[in-house]
Amino acid sequence: MDSPYRSTRAEATVRPRGSGLAFWPFGVRAAVLLVPVLLVVLAVAWGAARTALGLGSAPAGWVLLGIVLLSLLPVLLVVLSRAVSGGGGLDPAAVKSALTEAAAARRGLLVPRNVVPERGESPAGAVTSLRGLRGAEVVVVDLEDGHAWWEHRLLLLCAAAARLGRPAVVVFTAQQEGRPGRFAGWATPADLLQRLQDSDPGLRKAYLEACGQAAGVRLAEASGAAPAARLMKELGLEGMRRLTHPPPREALHPFLEEQLLARRVDRFDTSPEEIDLPRLLALFTPVLHTRALERSVDDAAWLSAALREEDEYVAFTDAGRYAGLLPGAAVARAVLLAVARPGA
C-alpha cells in the first residue's frame, strides 16, 4: 500500500524496500535474533568497563536496566514500524488479548494459608511445604478476609525465597468489598523480608539468631566430630541432630536456615499478628507495587500504559481480580508476537 505522504525524491521514502518496515530495514526475524546478541555484547562491554575503570563496587541496577532496554531496541523499532505502516497494523485489542493470555500463563503458584496445607500446623511443618515453592518464579499470597496469614509465617516464606532466589516475586491478593482475589500489589521477597524485620524487633532477632545458628552448624559440619559436638552445644542445639540432619539420609538439612528460623518463631503462634489489607499497606507501602493493567480499560489507553510501564514486572487485572504477571521485558516481546504477520 502506498504511503499517504509523498515525496519528490525517491530517497525520502519511509519504507525501505528490503523489509517493508519504516524504522527497521532488516526484517522481523533479524530483530528477534539480534536481541540476545546485543544483550551479551553489552553485558560483556559493561563488565570490561567496570574492571578497566575500577567500578567493581558501583551499583549496576540502572546500567543493567539500560542494557536490557537497548537490547530490546530492534524489537521496539519493529513494533513502531508496524504501528505507522499501512501493512500489518497494530490492533490494540489483539495486543491486549495476547498480553493478557501471556500473563495468565504466568499467574503464579498459590501459597497455602500461612505456608501450611492445614491451619494450625507448626512452622517446622511449614518448612516442608517450602520445597514445592522453590521452583516457582511467582507465588500468590491470598490474605483472604485478613485472617489467613500471620506476619511471622510470611517472614518464613520471604526468608527462604530471598536466600534461594526463588520465588522471585510475591503477589498479594485480598478480599475487598466482599469480592475475593482482588489484586493488592507485588514485591520481591528481599524487600518484604527487610520491611518485616524493620517493623518488629522480635522478628529481626529471631531471623538473625537463626542465620547465626545456621552459619555455626555449617562450620561444625566441616570441623570434625569432637569440635562439631562442642559447637552444637554452644549454639544451643545439643541433642538436636535430627533437626539439622534429618533421617534417613542424615545429611545437612537443605532448608537449614528456615528450619532453625521456624523453631525461633514458633513462640509467635500463641499471639500472632494477622495481616489484613490495611496492615499490608502499613508494612510494605514503600516496596509494594500496586499498579496494574486493568482489562476493562479502553484498548488504546491500555496498550499505551503497557508500553510505558517501567517496573520490573507488570501486573494484570480483570475487573480488579488478579489475572497474572509478566516481566517488563516480556511485554515488548508479546507485543511483537501480536503484530507480526503470520509466518514472519
Side-chain angles (χ1 to χ4, degrees):
M1 180 184 295
D2 293 333
S3 170
Y5 299 98
R6 300 186 181 277
S7 172
T8 57
R9 299 177 56 190
E11 296 83 2
T13 180
V14 296
R15 183 178 292 216
R17 181 173 299 176
S19 68
L21 299 173
F23 302 105
W24 180 257
F26 307 110
V28 175
R29 184 183 298 275
V32 174
L33 294 177
L34 191 58
V35 169
V37 175
L38 282 175
L39 185 62
V40 171
V41 170
L42 291 173
V44 171
W46 166 239
R50 291 185 75 184
T51 301
L53 299 177
L55 301 176
S57 60
W62 286 106
V63 176
L64 294 177
L65 178 60
I67 287 174
V68 171
L69 293 178
L70 286 175
S71 302
L72 290 171
L73 185 59
V75 169
L76 297 177
L77 290 176
V78 169
V79 173
L80 183 60
S81 299
R82 292 291 193 191
V84 302
S85 67
L90 185 65
D91 181 359
V95 176
K96 176 194 279 189
S97 178
L99 281 173
T100 302
E101 290 177 7
R106 304 178 70 150
R107 176 183 174 86
L109 187 64
L110 180 64
V111 185
R113 301 170 95 198
N114 272 331
V115 211
V116 294
E118 301 291 339
R119 287 282 286 182
E121 186 173 334
S122 70
V127 174
T128 303
S129 68
L130 293 176
R131 296 174 182 266
L133 304 177
R134 57 181 171 181
E137 181 182 9
V138 180
V139 292
V140 180
V141 169
D142 188 5
L143 302 178
E144 301 179 13
D145 59 356
H147 301 294
W149 275 83
W150 301 334
E151 290 182 17
H152 63 283
R153 295 291 182 89
L154 182 60
L155 177 80
L156 189 60
L157 169 65
C158 295
R163 182 177 70 87
L164 298 172
R166 278 290 187 273
V169 183
V170 178
V171 173
F172 292 98
T173 60
Q175 179 178 305
Q176 300 181 40
E177 299 177 351
R179 290 174 290 181
R182 309 280 286 183
F183 175 71
W186 66 266
T188 65
D191 285 342
L192 296 172
L193 176 62
Q194 187 59 56
R195 294 291 301 176
L196 284 167
Q197 292 183 71
D198 292 343
S199 71
D200 189 329
L203 292 181
R204 175 190 290 275
K205 184 172 184 292
Y207 174 73
L208 294 178
E209 287 177 344
C211 290
Q213 280 188 322
V217 171
R218 295 186 186 279
L219 176 62
E221 184 79 357
S223 301
R230 184 171 63 254
L231 275 171
M232 292 290 282
K233 182 177 181 180
E234 292 174 355
L235 291 169
L237 296 174
E238 187 178 21
M240 296 187 184
R241 184 172 176 82
R242 289 178 63 86
L243 180 73
T244 60
H245 298 73
R249 294 181 56 197
E250 296 191 357
L252 201 61
H253 200 300
F255 284 85
L256 176 65
E257 284 79 1
E258 291 70 46
Q259 188 73 23
L260 294 173
L261 177 58
R263 178 172 171 266
R264 288 283 175 183
V265 300
D266 182 69
R267 62 187 178 86
F268 291 98
D269 276 6
T270 58
S271 182
E273 289 288 344
E274 294 182 327
I275 307 176
D276 57 10
L277 189 56
R279 181 57 177 164
L280 178 79
L281 298 177
L283 282 170
F284 303 125
T285 286
V287 299
L288 194 66
H289 301 257
T290 57
R291 288 198 307 271
L293 294 175
E294 168 54 45
R295 187 163 191 168
S296 62
V297 171
D298 172 77
D299 293 343
W302 188 97
L303 178 58
S304 175
L307 292 175
R308 285 186 285 118
E309 181 58 63
E310 296 181 352
D311 276 346
E312 184 180 0
Y313 287 86
V314 181
F316 293 72
T317 57
D318 190 350
R321 288 181 60 89
Y322 171 66
L325 197 77
L326 272 181
V331 171
R333 179 174 179 270
V335 172
L336 172 63
L337 293 174
V339 300
R341 293 169 182 159

